[in-house]
Amino acid sequence: MKKVIFILLLVAVGFFLWQRGTVSSYEFSGQIEKIEGNLIYARGLTADSDKPESYHAERIRSVVASVDNDTVFEREVWHMLTAEELKKSDGKWELSQLRKETQEGSLSDLDAGSSVTIESRNNIYNKTEFRAKKVKYVKQVYPDLPE
């Protein structure tokens, strides 16, 4: 009986230690290198979902995210300050000052150089290819410039 309890305890401790060492990430942040068809080639990094502070430059890598009809594109529009407003503030501004709105986006909004955050339903830690559940990006609108 003592042997069985010892073995069960050993298995439980081993499982606990194995789970503690498991890293998971469901989000990639980076810059698009190119887009070919429904594939987004990007360079950036993932963080451990349980430790968002775990972003490290040495973990930068290239990935390929595939998009399909189920992928959601979310564009956050930042309405930047006018030249007059910038002049009044001595060229300084804070993100909290900007009017922001979230809109439905699309793959056609994106191109090489765009910064994106790509979410996946599955753990993508150390993966170089994955399916995108959601693609989020920012578009800055400058009121003094013609669109």
Side-chain angles (χ1 to χ4, degrees):
M1 183 67 166
K2 286 183 182 181
K3 251 186 194 176
V4 171
I5 292 174
F6 177 74
I7 290 172
L8 288 175
L9 184 61
L10 194 59
V11 168
V13 169
F15 181 76
F16 174 75
L17 291 175
W18 175 75
Q19 284 289 62
R20 267 188 59 211
T22 302
V23 177
S24 62
S25 181
Y26 298 87
E27 189 173 275
F28 170 88
S29 294
Q31 205 167 39
I32 294 177
E33 295 178 313
K34 66 180 178 178
I35 297 173
E36 290 181 353
N38 70 330
L39 301 176
I40 299 174
Y41 294 79
R43 186 155 177 77
L45 41 87
T46 59
D48 182 342
S49 295
D50 297 326
K51 301 176 197 148
E53 71 281 0
S54 64
Y55 284 104
H56 297 290
E58 65 269 8
R59 296 167 98 183
I60 292 175
R61 60 195 170 85
S62 293
V63 300
V64 180
S66 63
V67 300
D68 58 27
N69 292 336
D70 294 329
T71 303
V72 174
F73 288 86
E74 184 178 286
R75 173 179 52 221
E76 186 170 313
V77 178
W78 294 358
H79 297 274
M80 306 306 288
L81 301 179
T82 64
E84 188 61 35
E85 291 169 324
L86 285 171
K87 194 182 287 184
K88 287 179 186 174
S89 68
D90 213 14
K92 298 175 186 165
W93 58 275
E94 293 185 26
L95 191 57
S96 61
Q97 291 177 275
L98 303 180
R99 184 170 60 90
K100 299 178 204 115
E101 59 185 291
T102 302
Q103 302 174 345
E104 184 178 327
S106 70
L107 182 60
S108 63
D109 283 345
L110 303 172
D111 53 21
S114 298
S115 294
V116 292
T117 299
I118 305 172
E119 296 176 9
S120 176
R121 282 186 176 76
N122 302 315
N123 184 1
I124 60 172
Y125 190 79
N126 281 338
K127 302 274 191 288
T128 57
E129 295 183 13
F130 58 90
R131 187 181 156 285
K133 174 180 87 168
K134 182 186 272 188
V135 178
K136 300 186 289 188
Y137 57 97
V138 172
K139 179 182 179 191
Q140 297 175 343
V141 175
Y142 294 87
D144 295 341
L145 299 176
E147 293 212 16

Short mmCIF file of all heavy atoms in Angstrom, two decimals, residues 26-28 40 65-68 70-75 102 110 116-121 130-137:
data_model
loop_
_atom_site.label_atom_id
_atom_site.label_comp_id
_atom_site.label_asym_id
_atom_site.label_seq_id
_atom_site.Cartn_x
_atom_site.Cartn_y
_atom_site.Cartn_z
N TYR A 26 -0.74 32.36 -27.56
CA TYR A 26 -1.80 32.37 -28.56
C TYR A 26 -1.80 33.67 -29.37
O TYR A 26 -2.74 33.95 -30.08
CB TYR A 26 -3.16 32.17 -27.88
CG TYR A 26 -3.23 30.84 -27.18
CD1 TYR A 26 -2.79 30.68 -25.87
CD2 TYR A 26 -3.68 29.71 -27.85
CE1 TYR A 26 -2.81 29.45 -25.25
CE2 TYR A 26 -3.71 28.47 -27.24
CZ TYR A 26 -3.27 28.35 -25.94
OH TYR A 26 -3.28 27.12 -25.33
N GLU A 27 -0.71 34.44 -29.23
CA GLU A 27 -0.64 35.73 -29.88
C GLU A 27 0.77 36.02 -30.38
O GLU A 27 1.74 35.79 -29.67
CB GLU A 27 -1.07 36.80 -28.86
CG GLU A 27 -1.27 38.17 -29.42
CD GLU A 27 -1.85 39.12 -28.39
OE1 GLU A 27 -3.08 39.14 -28.23
OE2 GLU A 27 -1.06 39.80 -27.72
N PHE A 28 0.85 36.54 -31.60
CA PHE A 28 2.11 36.91 -32.22
C PHE A 28 2.03 38.39 -32.56
O PHE A 28 1.01 38.86 -33.06
CB PHE A 28 2.31 36.10 -33.51
CG PHE A 28 3.46 36.56 -34.35
CD1 PHE A 28 4.74 36.07 -34.14
CD2 PHE A 28 3.27 37.51 -35.35
CE1 PHE A 28 5.80 36.51 -34.91
CE2 PHE A 28 4.32 37.95 -36.12
CZ PHE A 28 5.60 37.45 -35.90
N ILE A 40 0.25 35.48 -44.61
CA ILE A 40 0.94 36.66 -44.09
C ILE A 40 2.30 36.20 -43.57
O ILE A 40 2.38 35.38 -42.65
CB ILE A 40 0.15 37.32 -42.95
CG1 ILE A 40 -1.22 37.79 -43.45
CG2 ILE A 40 0.93 38.48 -42.35
CD1 ILE A 40 -2.13 38.32 -42.35
N ALA A 65 1.40 33.09 -41.24
CA ALA A 65 0.04 32.93 -40.71
C ALA A 65 -0.93 32.86 -41.88
O ALA A 65 -0.92 33.72 -42.75
CB ALA A 65 -0.32 34.10 -39.81
N SER A 66 -1.73 31.82 -41.90
CA SER A 66 -2.73 31.70 -42.97
C SER A 66 -4.05 32.29 -42.50
O SER A 66 -4.42 32.15 -41.33
CB SER A 66 -2.91 30.24 -43.38
OG SER A 66 -3.40 29.48 -42.31
N VAL A 67 -4.73 32.97 -43.41
CA VAL A 67 -6.03 33.55 -43.11
C VAL A 67 -7.07 32.88 -44.01
O VAL A 67 -6.74 32.39 -45.09
CB VAL A 67 -6.05 35.08 -43.30
CG1 VAL A 67 -5.04 35.75 -42.37
CG2 VAL A 67 -5.76 35.48 -44.73
N ASP A 68 -8.30 32.86 -43.53
CA ASP A 68 -9.40 32.29 -44.32
C ASP A 68 -10.66 33.08 -44.05
O ASP A 68 -10.61 34.14 -43.41
CB ASP A 68 -9.58 30.79 -44.04
CG ASP A 68 -9.85 30.49 -42.57
OD1 ASP A 68 -10.39 31.36 -41.86
OD2 ASP A 68 -9.54 29.37 -42.12
N ASP A 70 -12.94 32.65 -42.00
CA ASP A 70 -13.28 32.75 -40.58
C ASP A 70 -12.37 33.71 -39.82
O ASP A 70 -12.63 34.03 -38.66
CB ASP A 70 -13.21 31.37 -39.92
CG ASP A 70 -14.27 30.43 -40.45
OD1 ASP A 70 -15.35 30.92 -40.84
OD2 ASP A 70 -14.01 29.20 -40.50
N THR A 71 -11.29 34.17 -40.45
CA THR A 71 -10.36 35.08 -39.79
C THR A 71 -11.01 36.46 -39.65
O THR A 71 -11.58 36.99 -40.60
CB THR A 71 -9.05 35.22 -40.59
OG1 THR A 71 -8.47 33.92 -40.74
CG2 THR A 71 -8.06 36.13 -39.88
N VAL A 72 -10.94 37.03 -38.45
CA VAL A 72 -11.49 38.36 -38.19
C VAL A 72 -10.37 39.38 -38.32
O VAL A 72 -9.28 39.19 -37.76
CB VAL A 72 -12.10 38.42 -36.77
CG1 VAL A 72 -12.54 39.83 -36.42
CG2 VAL A 72 -13.24 37.44 -36.63
N PHE A 73 -10.62 40.45 -39.06
CA PHE A 73 -9.67 41.55 -39.18
C PHE A 73 -10.22 42.73 -38.40
O PHE A 73 -11.35 43.16 -38.64
CB PHE A 73 -9.46 41.94 -40.65
CG PHE A 73 -8.67 40.91 -41.41
CD1 PHE A 73 -9.30 39.83 -42.00
CD2 PHE A 73 -7.29 41.03 -41.52
CE1 PHE A 73 -8.57 38.87 -42.68
CE2 PHE A 73 -6.55 40.07 -42.20
CZ PHE A 73 -7.19 38.99 -42.78
N GLU A 74 -9.42 43.24 -37.46
CA GLU A 74 -9.84 44.34 -36.60
C GLU A 74 -8.88 45.52 -36.76
O GLU A 74 -7.71 45.41 -36.43
CB GLU A 74 -9.86 43.87 -35.15
CG GLU A 74 -10.38 44.89 -34.17
CD GLU A 74 -10.41 44.32 -32.76
OE1 GLU A 74 -11.30 43.49 -32.47
OE2 GLU A 74 -9.51 44.69 -31.97
N ARG A 75 -9.41 46.60 -37.29
CA ARG A 75 -8.61 47.81 -37.52
C ARG A 75 -8.95 48.82 -36.42
O ARG A 75 -10.11 49.15 -36.22
CB ARG A 75 -8.94 48.39 -38.89
CG ARG A 75 -8.29 49.73 -39.17
CD ARG A 75 -8.61 50.26 -40.55
NE ARG A 75 -10.04 50.28 -40.81
CZ ARG A 75 -10.61 49.92 -41.97
NH1 ARG A 75 -9.87 49.52 -42.98
NH2 ARG A 75 -11.91 49.97 -42.11
N THR A 102 -12.73 51.31 -33.26
CA THR A 102 -12.44 49.99 -33.80
C THR A 102 -13.40 49.72 -34.95
O THR A 102 -14.60 49.95 -34.83
CB THR A 102 -12.60 48.92 -32.70
OG1 THR A 102 -11.71 49.25 -31.62
CG2 THR A 102 -12.27 47.54 -33.22
N LEU A 110 -3.60 45.69 -45.51
CA LEU A 110 -2.25 45.43 -45.02
C LEU A 110 -1.25 45.31 -46.16
O LEU A 110 -1.58 44.90 -47.26
CB LEU A 110 -2.25 44.13 -44.21
CG LEU A 110 -3.22 44.12 -43.03
CD1 LEU A 110 -3.28 42.73 -42.42
CD2 LEU A 110 -2.83 45.14 -41.99
N VAL A 116 1.30 44.23 -36.93
CA VAL A 116 0.10 43.45 -36.67
C VAL A 116 0.24 42.64 -35.38
O VAL A 116 1.35 42.35 -34.94
CB VAL A 116 -0.22 42.47 -37.82
CG1 VAL A 116 -0.64 43.20 -39.07
CG2 VAL A 116 0.94 41.55 -38.10
N THR A 117 -0.90 42.31 -34.82
CA THR A 117 -0.99 41.31 -33.76
C THR A 117 -1.90 40.24 -34.30
O THR A 117 -3.02 40.52 -34.74
CB THR A 117 -1.55 41.92 -32.46
OG1 THR A 117 -0.67 42.96 -32.02
CG2 THR A 117 -1.68 40.87 -31.38
N ILE A 118 -1.41 39.01 -34.31
CA ILE A 118 -2.16 37.90 -34.89
C ILE A 118 -2.46 36.89 -33.78
O ILE A 118 -1.55 36.44 -33.10
CB ILE A 118 -1.36 37.21 -36.02
CG1 ILE A 118 -0.96 38.24 -37.08
CG2 ILE A 118 -2.17 36.08 -36.63
CD1 ILE A 118 -0.01 37.70 -38.14
N GLU A 119 -3.74 36.60 -33.61
CA GLU A 119 -4.17 35.64 -32.60
C GLU A 119 -4.48 34.30 -33.26
O GLU A 119 -4.91 34.25 -34.40
CB GLU A 119 -5.41 36.14 -31.87
CG GLU A 119 -5.19 37.42 -31.09
CD GLU A 119 -6.46 37.94 -30.46
OE1 GLU A 119 -7.51 37.23 -30.47
OE2 GLU A 119 -6.43 39.08 -29.96
N SER A 120 -4.28 33.22 -32.48
CA SER A 120 -4.58 31.87 -32.95
C SER A 120 -5.40 31.14 -31.91
O SER A 120 -5.33 31.46 -30.72
CB SER A 120 -3.27 31.11 -33.20
OG SER A 120 -3.54 29.78 -33.57
N ARG A 121 -6.19 30.18 -32.34
CA ARG A 121 -6.94 29.36 -31.39
C ARG A 121 -6.02 28.35 -30.69
O ARG A 121 -6.29 27.90 -29.60
CB ARG A 121 -8.03 28.57 -32.13
CG ARG A 121 -9.24 29.39 -32.46
CD ARG A 121 -10.35 28.52 -33.07
NE ARG A 121 -11.55 29.27 -33.30
CZ ARG A 121 -11.72 30.14 -34.28
NH1 ARG A 121 -10.76 30.36 -35.15
NH2 ARG A 121 -12.85 30.80 -34.41
N PHE A 130 0.97 28.92 -38.63
CA PHE A 130 -0.26 28.73 -37.89
C PHE A 130 -1.42 29.42 -38.61
O PHE A 130 -1.21 30.23 -39.49
CB PHE A 130 -0.14 29.23 -36.45
CG PHE A 130 0.24 30.69 -36.33
CD1 PHE A 130 -0.74 31.67 -36.27
CD2 PHE A 130 1.57 31.08 -36.27
CE1 PHE A 130 -0.41 33.01 -36.15
CE2 PHE A 130 1.92 32.42 -36.15
CZ PHE A 130 0.93 33.38 -36.09
N ARG A 131 -2.63 29.08 -38.20
CA ARG A 131 -3.84 29.67 -38.77
C ARG A 131 -4.26 30.84 -37.91
O ARG A 131 -4.31 30.74 -36.68
CB ARG A 131 -4.95 28.63 -38.82
CG ARG A 131 -6.18 29.10 -39.54
CD ARG A 131 -7.27 28.01 -39.53
NE ARG A 131 -8.55 28.62 -39.69
CZ ARG A 131 -9.22 29.28 -38.75
NH1 ARG A 131 -8.73 29.44 -37.56
NH2 ARG A 131 -10.40 29.79 -39.01
N ALA A 132 -4.56 31.97 -38.53
CA ALA A 132 -4.94 33.18 -37.80
C ALA A 132 -6.43 33.18 -37.48
O ALA A 132 -7.27 32.99 -38.36
CB ALA A 132 -4.60 34.41 -38.64
N LYS A 133 -6.74 33.37 -36.22
CA LYS A 133 -8.13 33.54 -35.78
C LYS A 133 -8.53 35.01 -35.92
O LYS A 133 -9.63 35.34 -36.34
CB LYS A 133 -8.28 33.09 -34.33
CG LYS A 133 -9.65 33.36 -33.71
CD LYS A 133 -9.70 32.89 -32.27
CE LYS A 133 -9.21 34.00 -31.37
NZ LYS A 133 -9.46 33.78 -29.95
N LYS A 134 -7.60 35.91 -35.54
CA LYS A 134 -7.85 37.35 -35.60
C LYS A 134 -6.56 38.07 -35.95
O LYS A 134 -5.49 37.70 -35.47
CB LYS A 134 -8.37 37.85 -34.26
CG LYS A 134 -8.70 39.34 -34.24
CD LYS A 134 -9.08 39.85 -32.85
CE LYS A 134 -10.54 39.68 -32.61
NZ LYS A 134 -10.98 40.33 -31.35
N VAL A 135 -6.68 39.11 -36.79
CA VAL A 135 -5.55 39.97 -37.14
C VAL A 135 -5.93 41.39 -36.74
O VAL A 135 -6.94 41.92 -37.21
CB VAL A 135 -5.22 39.91 -38.65
CG1 VAL A 135 -4.07 40.84 -38.99
CG2 VAL A 135 -4.91 38.48 -39.09
N LYS A 136 -5.14 41.98 -35.84
CA LYS A 136 -5.41 43.34 -35.37
C LYS A 136 -4.30 44.27 -35.84
O LYS A 136 -3.13 43.87 -35.84
CB LYS A 136 -5.51 43.37 -33.84
CG LYS A 136 -6.60 42.48 -33.29
CD LYS A 136 -6.79 42.64 -31.80
CE LYS A 136 -5.63 42.07 -31.01
NZ LYS A 136 -5.85 42.04 -29.56
N TYR A 137 -4.68 45.49 -36.20
CA TYR A 137 -3.69 46.47 -36.64
C TYR A 137 -4.23 47.88 -36.44
O TYR A 137 -5.42 48.06 -36.19
CB TYR A 137 -3.31 46.24 -38.11
CG TYR A 137 -4.48 46.26 -39.06
CD1 TYR A 137 -4.78 47.43 -39.77
CD2 TYR A 137 -5.28 45.14 -39.25
CE1 TYR A 137 -5.86 47.46 -40.64
CE2 TYR A 137 -6.35 45.16 -40.11
CZ TYR A 137 -6.64 46.32 -40.80
OH TYR A 137 -7.71 46.36 -41.66
#
